[in-house]
Amino acid sequence: MSNYKKQDYDKQQKTNKTQSAPLFKKSLLAMCIVALNAPVYAQNTEPPVEEVVVYGIKQSLESAQAIKRNSATVTDVITASDIGALPDKSVVEALQRVPGVAIERFEASDDPDHFSVEGGNVTIRGLNRVRAEFNGRDAFSAGADGGMSFSDIPPELVGSVEVAKNQTADLIEGGIAGTINLNTRKPFDKDGFTAGVTVKGSYGDLIEDVNPSISGIVSNVWDTDLGKVGALFSVSASNFTSRGDGIGIYNYYEKDAPDVGNGVTPIVPNAASARQQFNDRDRLGFAGSLQWANPSDTVLATLEFIRSDSTVAWNERFIESPAQPFTGDAGTDRITLGDDYTFACPASDATPCQFRSGTLLGGTYPWGNVPYVAGARAREDERVINDWSFNLKLSPSDNLTLWADVQYVKAENSIKDNTAHGKFFSDIYLDIRDEDNPKLEFLNDNVANPESYFMRSAMDHISENEGDELALQLDAEYTFDDQWITGVKTGLRFSNREVTVRETIWNWGGLTETWSSQGEGSEAFYDGLLDAGMVEQFTFDSHLSGNALKGNNTFWFPSESFLSSTENMYQKLVANDGRTVDGAWVPLHRRAGVIPGTSFLPSEIYVTEEDRYAAYVRVDFGSEDGALRYSGNVGLRYVTYELASTGASNFPNPVGAELQNPGLDPSLPQDVIDYQTGDGTLATTIRGKKFDKVLPSFNLKVELTDDLLARLAVSEAIYLPELNAVRNQRNISSVMTVLNDPDSNAVTGVIHEGFYANGAGNPYLQPEEAVNVDLALEWYFDDLGSLTLTLFNKDVDGYFRQATETELVTNPENGITQEVSSTRTINGGSAEIRGYELAGQTGLGFIHESLTDFGIQASYTYIDGDADDGSSEFDPTDSPEDTFRNFTGLPLEGLSQDNYNLVVFYDNGTFQTRFAYSWRSRYLLNSRDVIAFSPIYGEATGQLDWSASYSLNDTIKIGLEANNLLDEVTRTSIQYNQEGVRTPRSYFVNDRRVGLFIQATF
């Protein structure tokens, strides 16, 4: 909602006349307004008293410091004084500089096999329960979760970012970790005409590509007989390409090794992987704003429109093991260790020695070597957000202010994801003794020969989502002169959001295999597919900075042109005998029963609708009399939340004829075969339990001296489930292990491991509830000089956890009921997060006058947390995917115990430069990975960035920037046992990037 700082100038001037002593130094007050800065929270009425245009690193930090000091609750701010952008290449990158804020560099926490250069998930004080806002309003998208990705927003459109870590009653509910508010610029932020343009180019050393970006802004304010009129338009267009290289290690298992051990059987991985991913992001953003104020300044109207169009296209080549980790094929019984192995043995007699280097041979595999999949994947993800809003502010008297606000958001999201897999066989040599330089070598010298590969399987996935939100709010504030109660605010809010998700299953299907019903020799080997353009050679050039893939580094993969469309894939497979497995893969749009003209079955469409009602009252108080000056607020916010979810269940595709043979030993039970019809149930609507809650809040700020203040903030907050988590849908899959004759490779048996639904929805999921407490001491010893210490504690009830539960699901097509292991989000218990933030910034002129233009900004955050996740022990008869390494007592996801930031800068007004380093310790990425079926951890990681700029004159500025200067290796690990032993999982590197920009302002 929209209550703008600079529009409150007159009211604050009046209020200041009643004060017996200033709350802040005048120089600090002057910094409270950033040039071109947009509004803060909708009902926040602690405005500054004068408008000052500021530029540069020092001025931005001064402004942010003053806003933090003047805030109604515990808040940190990033400002972008210049017309260019934030001081980092993305909003996510900038957020990691805030004390207590950390970012993940993965596509998602549940997808740790795909690295994200720009960063993705954001946590505040170890929790990802973060509310995102645009100008104090809802940030909404048509993604399956309904939330906005900060990486989708062009940073050039953002004037400032505010991070509120506690609550006031007027803040919209939804963030128990905190609220991140992105403020865009408004015409009345600066009188008169303003224009600017920034052109950038950046180069990545792995992708070896130059990426352009351009942004511009024009704004003007006119004084007319009808009042003041302002218009602002800004646009940003950018292209960003990057490359990410990875080496992966699979689950470890027990394996005897001569002359190794401490009385405990050592552990060895069953396979390794390599992947190289090329990313291409296009961002187009537009923001427009019109403002009008009547001559008496009693009416202010603001109309805004924001559009964000972000497309991420990536393709990757990967080599990985095809075995599910809980099946017989995944263990090390089939692996033989060479004689060149080394192990790392811990001091503890109860902890197994871990494999560190050596040769992994095929052992008992029928083919003599270890089977590997060589896959190629192409994915495109487009997100479009159109956000309209209108705010009307009325000031009928000096003491009374009224606001009416309406917001409408229309969003779309489409994903196309095509994958094809080849298969080959090779023993490997693996060396992970140096965690910064892992080495992997495929020992089959024929991996460069297309005759060594055959087309194994294919998979496609599509989603086409759309959603909209309507939000209405009315607010009123009355201020009192010379009273202990300085003001009363109250308001009503309603919002309705609905997302229609059309999302197919992950449509995996076999193509040709050694166990095909047509017998060995029916495989579609690559030498017969070359002329059709279905396959191509690819070299892992300089993989992991040239250190990783030794020896053979050229392999054969399905080609990019082959993956261009699923119909193209299908036609070429048919024409080249590439579908010899019974029940072979067919593209989504060719399935029986799809809605004409689409790729979706009726059961693959679900609708989630959310209604929220809220009412609040906030009382502000304060006194300038007495020995201590103080101010604060106390309030109540009442929230009602209702959910309706419409969807269905999808059943596994039919079993191929070769696996239905009753003569196999073992064979599939008939009811297991009949259950797999590939059909879906009819859509049903589930209305979740109505949730209502009163959320109290209390904030107190005491001026102990002119420069030292203490702050106490206590509030209750809620975090609403992501829409994806509460959908009424499950996709059921069947896991089977095929047994082959070691000589002929013919199928001899098939073991059904069970049915599972990974990522099922839970329409009965309730919001998390938390009690937040902050106690802060803040010392402001200069305009650019502060030292703050904040102690915090959060008690969370109804904590969200991923859990696997066994349920009975009936297929309505035939009435057969089977046990299905469903992994979904549940309200799994409680959690407590506690810690402290220590932050400071200062110029260095106090050391010596020659250091006047130098400065430092630093912060350290310590976070500790634990959870009672409510987990129960599994029955020994449960299916393997249930019981395999499903550990209890895990740490909280996303929580790094130690986090720090260090920025060193120089700014003399003409030339400025900055080195910025951010670091976080190990944290749990996800509690049960969908590939490893085990907890995955992100290991400690840091990144160093640099930037510099020089003002040629008052109009032109040029600059350089560099990211990832230390060429950081990002590592993950995987939990091996209940005792918490971890083994290596993956190693990633991404581009080091340099950029050049030129900026003109008028």
Side-chain angles (χ1 to χ4, degrees):
M1 317 299 285
S2 302
N3 180 21
Y4 307 125
K5 286 194 172 224
K6 288 187 284 297
Q7 282 77 16
D8 286 328
Y9 167 75
D10 292 335
K11 181 174 67 177
Q12 181 65 30
Q13 291 285 52
K14 175 193 70 62
T15 303
N16 285 345
K17 296 176 183 178
T18 68
Q19 297 177 344
S20 59
L23 282 176
F24 307 109
K25 294 179 179 180
K26 290 183 179 179
S27 56
L28 284 173
L29 278 169
M31 293 299 108
C32 284
I33 284 300
V34 183
L36 304 176
N37 187 28
V40 294
Y41 303 109
Q43 299 84 22
N44 186 354
T45 52
E46 277 96 22
V49 299
E50 58 182 295
E51 178 180 335
V52 175
V53 178
V54 292
Y55 298 96
I57 297 174
K58 289 195 294 187
Q59 291 87 350
S60 292
L61 293 178
E62 289 174 11
S63 177
Q65 175 178 301
I67 296 174
K68 173 183 174 69
R69 179 175 181 170
N70 199 34
S71 61
T73 189
V74 180
T75 303
D76 284 291
V77 183
I78 306 168
T79 64
S81 315
D82 291 333
I83 292 176
L86 292 171
D88 289 276
K89 68 177 182 290
S90 72
V91 173
V92 177
E93 293 282 347
L95 281 168
Q96 69 177 326
R97 315 295 180 200
V98 175
V101 176
I103 67 172
E104 289 177 1
R105 296 188 181 275
F106 296 94
E107 291 293 332
S109 59
D110 59 356
D111 187 13
D113 288 334
H114 292 98
F115 190 78
S116 174
V117 175
E118 292 186 286
N121 191 32
V122 175
T123 64
I124 300 177
R125 294 171 172 175
L127 283 177
N128 61 2
R129 278 65 166 165
V130 177
R131 172 176 165 78
E133 295 185 344
F134 258 136
N135 298 318
R137 304 181 180 93
D138 274 347
F140 173 72
S141 80
D145 59 3
M148 181 190 73
S149 171
F150 291 109
S151 60
D152 290 339
I153 306 304
E156 294 82 3
L157 300 186
V158 178
S160 69
V161 182
E162 295 172 311
V163 182
K165 300 174 181 177
N166 213 304
Q167 304 289 312
T168 59
D170 50 322
L171 289 183
I172 301 172
E173 67 284 343
I176 63 174
T179 298
I180 297 177
N181 183 34
L182 308 183
N183 291 316
T184 58
R185 298 176 172 93
K186 306 294 179 290
F188 286 180
D189 291 344
K190 187 176 185 295
D191 287 335
F193 176 79
T194 300
V197 62
T198 301
V199 179
K200 295 183 180 181
S202 65
Y203 174 83
D205 67 336
L206 293 182
I207 193 71
E208 297 181 340
D209 192 16
V210 176
N211 303 138
S213 69
I214 184 170
S215 61
I217 183 173
V218 59
S219 175
N220 204 358
V221 177
W222 301 271
D223 288 313
T224 72
D225 293 340
L226 297 177
K228 187 163 64 171
V229 178
L232 180 148
F233 301 95
S234 61
V235 64
S236 170
S238 66
N239 173 253
F240 181 84
T241 59
S242 63
R243 185 182 117 185
D245 296 351
I247 291 291
I249 317 297
Y250 283 88
N251 300 65
Y252 276 55
Y253 302 84
E254 290 186 345
K255 183 71 175 177
D256 288 325
D259 304 321
V260 172
N262 50 3
V264 179
T265 303
I267 53 177
V268 176
N270 71 313
S273 67
R275 61 193 340 112
Q276 196 165 106
Q277 180 176 327
F278 297 85
N279 306 282
D280 189 345
R281 177 191 289 276
D282 288 309
R283 273 192 297 233
L284 178 63
F286 172 83
S289 179
L290 299 174
Q291 289 187 293
W292 171 77
N294 68 342
S296 60
D297 284 333
T298 58
V299 179
L300 172 64
T302 303
L303 177 67
E304 295 177 88
F305 172 68
I306 302 171
R307 177 181 172 88
S308 171
D309 188 338
S310 174
T311 301
V312 179
W314 55 263
N315 65 78
E316 69 169 341
R317 282 87 169 181
F318 56 89
I319 300 172
E320 60 186 22
S321 169
Q324 291 274 26
F326 48 80
T327 63
D329 275 345
T332 52
D333 290 343
R334 293 181 178 269
I335 296 293
T336 300
L337 281 173
D339 296 331
D340 54 351
Y341 54 76
T342 64
F343 282 77
C345 293
S348 170
D349 291 339
T351 303
C353 298
Q354 293 188 23
F355 172 92
R356 280 297 178 265
S357 69
T359 303
L360 300 179
L361 305 172
T364 63
Y365 279 107
W367 312 277
N369 301 127
V370 182
Y372 278 95
V373 164
R377 182 177 177 186
R379 178 182 173 94
E380 182 176 280
D381 184 344
E382 182 177 11
R383 297 170 183 253
V384 178
I385 301 171
N386 293 291
D387 187 324
W388 296 266
S389 61
F390 176 73
N391 181 270
L392 181 64
K393 175 185 172 185
L394 305 176
S395 303
S397 71
D398 288 343
N399 299 86
L400 178 63
T401 306
L402 306 172
W403 292 270
D405 195 276
V406 59
Q407 176 195 22
Y408 178 73
V409 184
K410 182 71 174 178
E412 298 175 352
N413 177 213
S414 63
I415 297 174
K416 296 180 180 178
D417 197 315
N418 300 336
T419 307
H421 311 96
K423 191 173 183 179
F424 72 101
F425 304 92
S426 179
D427 297 330
I428 65 170
Y429 175 79
L430 179 64
D431 185 347
I432 51 175
R433 288 173 290 183
D434 183 350
E435 62 184 22
D436 290 328
N437 294 285
K439 297 177 177 62
L440 172 63
E441 183 176 358
F442 288 87
L443 301 178
N444 185 347
D445 290 333
N446 290 319
V447 294
N449 189 336
E451 296 178 358
S452 298
Y453 301 76
F454 62 83
M455 194 69 75
R456 174 182 181 263
S457 56
M459 180 172 65
D460 55 337
H461 173 75
I462 296 175
S463 69
E464 295 177 1
N465 309 337
E466 59 188 33
D468 60 5
E469 177 176 5
L470 176 66
L472 307 171
Q473 182 156 332
L474 299 173
D475 299 281
E477 178 187 14
Y478 192 85
T479 59
F480 300 93
D481 298 329
D482 302 318
Q483 301 293 321
W484 181 75
I485 294 179
T486 59
V488 176
K489 308 173 189 177
T490 187
L492 302 171
R493 184 177 185 274
F494 164 77
S495 68
N496 169 271
R497 60 171 60 184
E498 180 177 297
V499 175
T500 299
V501 176
R502 303 171 184 88
E503 183 175 33
T504 68
I505 60 171
W506 290 92
N507 181 40
W508 183 92
L511 293 174
T512 70
E513 257 291 7
T514 55
W515 43 262
S516 168
S517 61
Q518 298 183 28
E520 187 176 5
S522 63
E523 303 93 337
F525 284 95
Y526 280 13
D527 56 328
L529 306 178
L530 283 171
D531 292 342
M534 297 170 63
V535 296
E536 62 188 1
Q537 258 191 340
F538 178 81
T539 299
F540 286 85
D541 186 39
S542 301
H543 198 64
L544 252 68
S545 301
N547 298 320
L549 275 177
K550 297 298 183 180
N552 301 314
N553 66 347
T554 297
F555 304 85
W556 285 86
F557 295 89
S559 65
E560 285 190 52
S561 61
F562 176 62
L563 294 175
S564 61
S565 77
T566 55
E567 181 63 21
N568 175 65
M569 293 169 63
Y570 179 78
Q571 294 295 344
K572 288 194 172 185
L573 287 166
V574 170
N576 291 275
D577 296 324
R579 299 177 68 254
T580 62
V581 173
D582 289 339
W585 173 83
V586 295
L588 290 162
H589 65 275
R590 282 182 167 270
R591 293 177 299 167
V594 297
I595 300 171
T598 79
S599 297
F600 305 102
L601 298 171
S603 57
E604 292 173 335
I605 300 173
Y606 61 92
V607 180
T608 306
E609 183 176 8
E610 173 199 289
D611 285 332
R612 263 194 280 170
Y613 303 84
Y616 76 91
V617 60
R618 167 178 156 175
V619 177
D620 292 353
F621 59 87
S623 175
E624 295 296 317
D625 302 324
L628 294 177
R629 299 188 299 273
Y630 64 89
S631 61
N633 59 82
V634 61
L636 296 173
R637 187 175 186 91
Y638 173 74
V639 180
T640 296
Y641 163 82
E642 296 180 274
L643 182 81
S645 185
T646 302
S649 296
N650 293 298
F651 293 88
N653 288 329
V655 179
E658 68 275 13
L659 300 183
Q660 295 187 32
N661 183 358
L664 298 176
D665 184 21
S667 61
L668 291 177
Q670 192 60 44
D671 63 334
V672 170
I673 296 173
D674 294 341
Y675 189 70
Q676 303 183 55
T677 59
D679 298 316
T681 61
L682 295 176
T684 59
T685 299
I686 295 178
R687 296 192 177 275
K689 180 181 177 183
K690 181 179 179 181
F691 176 88
D692 62 304
K693 180 75 174 178
V694 175
L695 305 174
S697 60
F698 174 78
N699 291 273
L700 176 65
K701 180 171 60 180
V702 180
E703 298 277 339
L704 302 176
T705 69
D706 286 346
D707 299 325
L708 183 66
L709 65 85
R711 192 188 298 270
L712 173 66
V714 183
S715 69
E716 287 193 43
I718 61 172
Y719 179 71
L720 302 171
E722 296 177 346
L723 297 184
N724 186 50
V726 294
R727 72 191 190 280
N728 177 23
Q729 191 200 39
R730 66 167 73 84
N731 294 318
I732 302 172
S733 300
S734 178
V735 177
M736 295 176 288
T737 298
V738 179
L739 306 180
N740 303 88
D741 182 272
D743 297 322
S744 67
N745 291 332
V747 177
T748 60
V750 58
I751 301 172
H752 186 249
E753 307 284 0
F755 295 104
Y756 71 96
N758 193 27
N762 181 6
Y764 300 103
L765 191 66
Q766 291 285 285
E768 291 179 332
E769 302 178 32
V771 176
N772 303 325
V773 180
D774 284 81
L775 181 62
L777 192 64
E778 302 172 4
W779 179 33
Y780 298 96
F781 51 85
D782 199 354
D783 291 352
L784 177 54
S786 64
L787 183 64
T788 64
L789 173 65
T790 304
L791 310 179
F792 59 85
N793 190 88
K794 296 179 185 290
D795 286 311
V796 184
D797 286 324
Y799 188 73
F800 296 161
R801 273 289 198 186
Q802 287 290 306
T804 301
E805 302 173 324
T806 299
E807 57 184 341
L808 297 176
V809 179
T810 299
N811 188 332
E813 181 74 15
N814 49 37
I816 297 176
T817 300
Q818 295 285 349
E819 287 189 349
V820 176
S821 298
S822 296
T823 301
R824 55 163 60 93
T825 304
I826 65 170
N827 294 109
S830 60
E832 182 180 6
I833 299 93
R834 53 201 168 267
Y836 62 87
E837 296 170 352
L838 180 64
Q841 61 183 31
T842 183
L844 300 182
F846 69 91
I847 298 176
H848 190 272
E849 62 180 10
S850 63
L851 301 177
T852 299
D853 296 324
F854 289 88
I856 189 170
Q857 182 185 27
S859 68
Y860 169 75
T861 304
Y862 173 83
I863 310 171
D864 186 24
D866 49 64
D868 173 14
D869 59 15
S871 298
S872 60
E873 296 296 328
F874 287 96
D875 189 286
T877 61
D878 283 354
S879 57
E881 61 266 32
D882 279 358
T883 56
F884 180 80
R885 300 186 183 176
N886 206 327
F887 307 126
T888 59
L890 298 174
L892 301 177
E893 292 183 7
L895 189 153
S896 290
Q897 178 176 279
D898 302 294
N899 309 260
Y900 68 82
N901 292 283
L902 179 63
V903 177
V904 178
F905 63 86
Y906 175 86
D907 181 1
N908 67 3
T910 300
F911 175 74
Q912 52 186 299
T913 186
R914 182 189 72 153
F915 286 90
Y917 184 73
S918 296
W919 183 90
R920 66 181 301 187
S921 61
R922 182 178 67 246
Y923 63 100
L924 179 64
L925 265 166
N926 65 69
S927 54
R928 189 155 179 81
D929 185 60
V930 298
I931 301 298
F933 283 77
S934 304
I936 302 290
Y937 294 79
E939 292 298 309
T941 185
Q943 180 166 307
L944 177 65
D945 302 322
W946 168 80
S947 62
S949 65
Y950 180 77
S951 298
L952 299 176
N953 50 47
D954 291 341
T955 300
I956 305 297
K957 176 189 289 187
I958 59 174
L960 289 170
E961 56 190 21
N963 300 100
N964 189 26
L965 289 173
L966 301 180
D967 201 18
E968 181 76 7
V969 177
T970 301
R971 297 176 294 115
T972 67
S973 60
I974 185 169
Q975 187 165 332
Y976 168 72
N977 58 16
Q978 179 63 47
E979 289 70 34
V981 172
R982 293 175 295 104
T983 59
R985 170 62 176 178
S986 58
Y987 306 80
F988 294 100
V989 299
N990 64 278
D991 298 89
R992 286 174 294 184
R993 184 169 296 275
V994 295
L996 170 69
F997 72 86
I998 182 168
Q999 181 184 102
T1001 58
F1002 310 94

